Amino acid sequence: MKTTVVEPPVPSGAPVGLPAGDGRFSLLPKTSFDGRVETELLEVAMGPHHPSTHGVFRMDVVLDGETIVKLKPVFGYLHRNHEKIAENVSYLASIPYTDRLDYLCSMTNNWAYALSVEKLAGLEPPERAEYIRVIMAELTRLANHVCLIGFLAQDMGALGTPLMYGFREREKILDLFEALSGSRMMCNYMRFGGCRLDLPPGWVREARVVVDNFPKFLEEFDNLLSGNEILMARTQGVGVLTAELAVNAGITGPMLRASGVNYDIRKVDRYGIYDRFEFRVPLGDHGDVYDRYMIRLLEMWESLKILRQALDDIPEGPVMDPNAKIRNFKPKPGECYERIEGPKGELGFYLVSDGGANPYRYRVRPPSLVNLTVLEDMCLGHNVADAVAILGSVDIVLGEVDR
Amino acid sequence: MDEGLRSELSKQGIFTSTLEDLYNWGRQNSVWPLQFGLACCAIEMIATSMARFDLARFGAEVFRPSPRQADLMIVAGTVTKKMAPQVVRLYNQMPEPKYVIAMGACAISGGPFKQGYNVLKGIDRFIPVDVHIPGCPPRPEALLHAFMTLQQRIDGQRLTGKSRPRHLNAEAPSEFPVPQFGAKDLEPPFNPEVWQPPRLVRSE
């Protein structure tokens, strides 16, 4: 990404501070702008321990007063060798690791991985499994977006209340996941060729209760936040991402749609059975933080629409492809890339098989990492306090950024 | 104190206690954790402090962003070799008395990522850990249990003698050496004061 920052001229003979980049504070050389005021640029390392960096992420910002003139994201503090480990274990054993990629949305990670292995091995999940997957993915989207909005509000100073509301609703969705898979967060639920287990008795009824009660919460959330003067002042016109830059930088997901580009992989690829559901894709006009917040709120309404249709239409039947082999699974040599519309954007898995029991190459296309690349372009010229809001609106999860 | 006298006094509205009990009662119910999440477990840590599980019942809902104001560090998540120096530095910056809960399989041993080249095999190699919680991630109930275990531990500390807390023991170290990333691995790879590699002892 090209940035428009002009490096301040370094006068010869000026005292040079500590070398930058080792994570410590360093004073850059003194510069004078048009000879009037002697100002000093200050390099600040925000993170890796910072309450608003959503984990262990560092932003090296260069400040002119309060204004950001340069920003360098530094990550790798949570590099857990996911890809290397996955190349050394069997295809099946990677599924629990995919849970821990984006740890707020384990179900969609499972789905993206299962989808690529299915393409590699030529498996076809039965219809009931497809419905279950859609239900899980949309529930995950709800859980992710409520958390995100809560965190975003918390970053801007609303300590507690919105996040507490969000987590209250998330717990109800996690209860559904737990009843199904036995685990709240790390579901490890989907398999190549279907799903691990059938829905327990009464699950659909419970899910319908959650889905039916969700609009009440969304309206409450909407009333609480959308018209809030502080939120509008802090977010409108802040961190504008133009559609052109978003497309060129490969931004996907709600961030791209907030910039006004109509691109939803559920509509473009129609993977799974998304062609059967009626839903709309909300788009933003300005591409600022407020639009990104609003897109997520509107997306939750659309997810509820999909959920209602899927819960009504879900057929009976098996949940596993009878041809699927769980043990001693060796797909034939080849490569594949499959992607889904995760809650954060395009989540894809690229797999190369050499016919063995482990993938020869395993690569994750993480939406958070790619969306993070335009952070500097969005933050330049804004106050340092706005960088926190902008980062919050990108929706990163460090498990996925660093892998 | 005689039990009969104590009950007689309490009937008269006089509450008797020892200074030690009062001191520990106050300390154990105001443990302020450091707002410090590393990975997946941090989400469960946040969930614990939210409405359903309500960490505030234990007097520990005040998550402090600054280590200078915190009593408890919850190491919630995978500690990588890039992050380990920062974790130890944060621990050093906390005032005494300070406690550590290692939350989750990664923090206690490296967990599922143990085979990774960049993952620290347990934070107890560098800092003393009071409570370990297994699980990947541990449920919020498990974190609550760890809190209660820590509270019992604080309650069991005496003001004098061998089991006195570290802030009353001038000889107990308050800071630990911060590892640096060397040519291949963290240097030193562990702090011999708090952790030693297990030794195989063959039976005769």
Side-chain angles (χ1 to χ4, degrees):
Chain A
M1 233 58 49
K2 275 196 93 81
T3 58
T4 52
V5 184
V6 182
E7 288 286 333
V10 182
S12 57
V16 177
L18 288 169
D22 60 350
R24 296 169 191 194
F25 289 88
S26 72
L27 292 175
L28 297 180
K30 283 187 176 179
T31 56
S32 64
F33 294 112
D34 44 8
R36 281 182 303 168
V37 186
E38 184 92 343
T39 57
E40 213 167 58
L41 296 183
L42 184 68
E43 187 179 328
V44 181
M46 283 177 77
H49 165 243
H50 189 275
S52 66
T53 51
H54 293 221
V56 280
F57 171 66
R58 193 172 100 209
M59 291 187 280
D60 279 350
V61 285
V62 178
L63 299 175
D64 177 14
E66 282 271 312
T67 315
I68 297 173
V69 293
K70 200 166 182 226
L71 186 146
K72 193 175 107 195
V74 182
F75 32 75
Y77 287 101
L78 194 57
H79 176 53
R80 299 193 282 195
N81 333 114
H82 173 78
E83 291 175 359
K84 196 67 207 166
I85 290 174
E87 284 165 16
N88 290 324
V89 296
S90 67
Y91 285 90
L92 179 69
S94 296
I95 293 183
Y97 286 106
T98 61
D99 284 338
R100 287 154 182 82
L101 263 182
D102 173 358
Y103 35 79
L104 282 169
C105 341
S106 59
M107 286 286 194
T108 46
N109 298 343
N110 285 175
W111 193 8
Y113 179 61
L115 212 60
S116 350
V117 180
E118 275 159 16
K119 192 178 175 192
L120 200 63
L123 297 169
E124 190 73 34
E127 201 179 352
R128 184 173 170 85
E130 293 276 26
Y131 270 94
I132 293 176
R133 286 177 175 191
V134 169
I135 293 169
M136 293 308 145
E138 296 307 320
L139 283 175
T140 305
R141 203 180 309 277
L142 293 179
N144 178 67
H145 286 358
V146 291
C147 286
L148 169 87
I149 295 174
F151 284 130
L152 178 63
Q154 196 191 28
D155 287 348
M156 290 186 292
L159 289 174
T161 312
L163 189 63
M164 223 171 243
Y165 281 23
F167 265 75
R168 185 188 68 200
E169 296 307 309
R170 178 174 175 265
E171 291 288 341
K172 293 174 188 166
I173 295 170
L174 292 194
D175 281 349
L176 292 176
F177 288 167
E178 190 181 355
L180 178 66
S181 71
S183 175
R184 284 156 48 87
M185 277 172 70
M186 305 301 173
C187 299
N188 183 13
Y189 177 61
M190 291 173 198
R191 292 285 183 270
F192 341 123
C195 299
R196 178 157 60 96
L197 297 160
D198 201 353
L199 299 177
W203 193 91
V204 174
R205 198 179 61 239
E206 292 292 321
R208 206 168 268 145
V209 172
V210 171
V211 171
D212 288 344
N213 287 333
F214 214 83
K216 207 175 115 199
F217 157 72
L218 278 186
E219 274 165 17
E220 187 187 15
F221 222 40
D222 205 0
N223 289 337
L224 179 72
L225 288 175
S226 298
N228 186 303
E229 207 163 314
I230 302 172
L231 184 101
M232 289 202 282
R234 285 294 304 273
T235 56
Q236 286 182 349
V238 171
V240 174
L241 178 67
T242 59
E244 193 191 356
L245 178 61
V247 171
N248 287 338
I251 307 299
T252 45
M255 255 182 93
L256 177 68
R257 293 194 285 278
S259 297
V261 182
N262 188 0
Y263 186 77
D264 187 324
I265 299 168
R266 289 176 292 178
K267 289 280 190 193
V268 175
D269 275 13
R270 296 180 175 274
Y271 60 92
I273 48 164
Y274 270 112
D275 48 351
R276 300 188 195 177
F277 302 114
E278 221 172 276
F279 65 101
R280 294 164 66 197
V281 179
L283 295 178
D285 318 316
H286 304 97
D288 55 3
V289 175
Y290 189 79
D291 272 14
R292 271 171 239 144
Y293 151 76
M294 209 62 201
I295 286 285
R296 275 153 183 141
L297 207 57
L298 294 173
E299 255 187 25
M300 284 197 268
W301 287 105
E302 300 305 317
S303 288
L304 288 174
K305 268 189 209 166
I306 300 175
L307 275 169
R308 273 192 215 100
Q309 295 170 48
L311 287 171
D312 286 342
D313 301 347
I314 183 166
E316 290 297 320
V319 292
M320 237 359 222
D321 184 355
N323 299 323
K325 241 168 94 178
I326 291 295
R327 307 283 163 210
N328 201 12
F329 175 79
K330 287 180 184 170
K332 50 187 183 304
E335 59 174 12
C336 74
Y337 176 77
E338 270 294 314
R339 56 186 192 164
I340 67 164
E341 176 73 30
K344 296 180 169 60
E346 175 184 336
L347 174 67
F349 281 81
Y350 173 67
L351 298 172
V352 179
S353 163
D354 58 356
N358 334 327
Y360 174 75
R361 178 78 177 98
Y362 175 103
R363 156 93 187 141
V364 188
R365 192 260 186 221
S368 304
L369 173 66
V370 181
N371 291 357
L372 201 55
T373 52
V374 288
L375 185 65
E376 181 175 16
D377 301 74
M378 291 191 291
C379 286
L380 288 181
H382 288 295
N383 288 346
V384 64
D386 292 333
V388 171
I390 294 168
L391 180 72
S393 74
V394 176
D395 193 8
I396 56 165
V397 162
L398 266 297
E400 193 177 59
V401 173
D402 297 336
R403 300 190 297 291
Chain B
M1 188 177 189
D2 182 39
E3 272 305 309
L5 180 60
R6 183 198 287 265
S7 96
E8 194 60 38
L9 282 172
S10 72
K11 281 177 197 156
Q12 303 298 323
I14 299 171
F15 169 72
T16 54
S17 176
T18 60
L19 181 65
E20 200 170 70
D21 283 349
L22 194 65
Y23 183 62
N24 285 342
W25 173 78
R27 284 200 308 135
Q28 74 181 358
N29 288 307
S30 62
V31 179
W32 287 5
L34 181 63
Q35 186 181 1
F36 174 56
L38 288 170
C40 333
C41 292
I43 305 294
E44 287 295 61
M45 185 176 80
I46 297 166
T48 314
S49 66
M50 289 298 152
R52 181 181 284 189
F53 297 101
D54 199 7
L55 199 55
R57 290 176 293 159
F58 301 90
E61 81 281 16
V62 197
F63 278 83
R64 303 312 298 176
S66 165
R68 303 285 185 206
Q69 304 165 348
D71 307 309
L72 167 69
M73 176 189 247
I74 304 174
V75 184
T78 316
V79 187
T80 59
K81 287 178 183 168
K82 187 170 180 177
M83 195 59 200
Q86 271 72 279
V87 176
V88 179
R89 192 169 290 135
L90 283 170
Y91 179 78
N92 287 347
Q93 287 171 351
M94 282 163 61
E96 290 282 2
K98 50 191 172 187
Y99 303 94
V100 178
I101 291 178
M103 182 182 184
C106 293
I108 66 179
S109 72
F113 299 96
K114 186 165 185 163
Q115 50 185 308
Y117 49 84
N118 194 30
V119 177
L120 188 70
K121 277 100 189 138
I123 191 60
D124 51 3
R125 295 183 177 213
F126 289 109
I127 54 178
V129 175
D130 293 282
V131 186
H132 295 80
I133 323 173
C136 188
R139 296 178 58 88
E141 290 93 331
L143 183 58
L144 293 181
H145 182 247
F147 257 107
M148 290 157 77
T149 311
L150 184 71
Q151 286 183 332
Q152 281 169 7
R153 206 183 161 119
I154 294 172
D155 202 26
Q157 287 176 335
R158 297 281 152 258
L159 290 182
T160 52
K162 225 176 168 187
S163 71
R164 65 187 187 275
R166 282 221 315 267
H167 66 290
L168 297 176
N169 184 358
E171 281 157 26
S174 174
E175 292 195 357
F176 291 92
V178 178
Q180 291 295 327
F181 199 79
K184 284 182 181 166
D185 200 351
L186 285 175
E187 284 168 6
F190 57 87
N191 182 357
E193 274 179 48
V194 293
W195 187 83
Q196 294 277 353
R199 276 185 307 130
L200 282 178
V201 181
R202 300 202 178 274
S203 55
E204 292 297 319

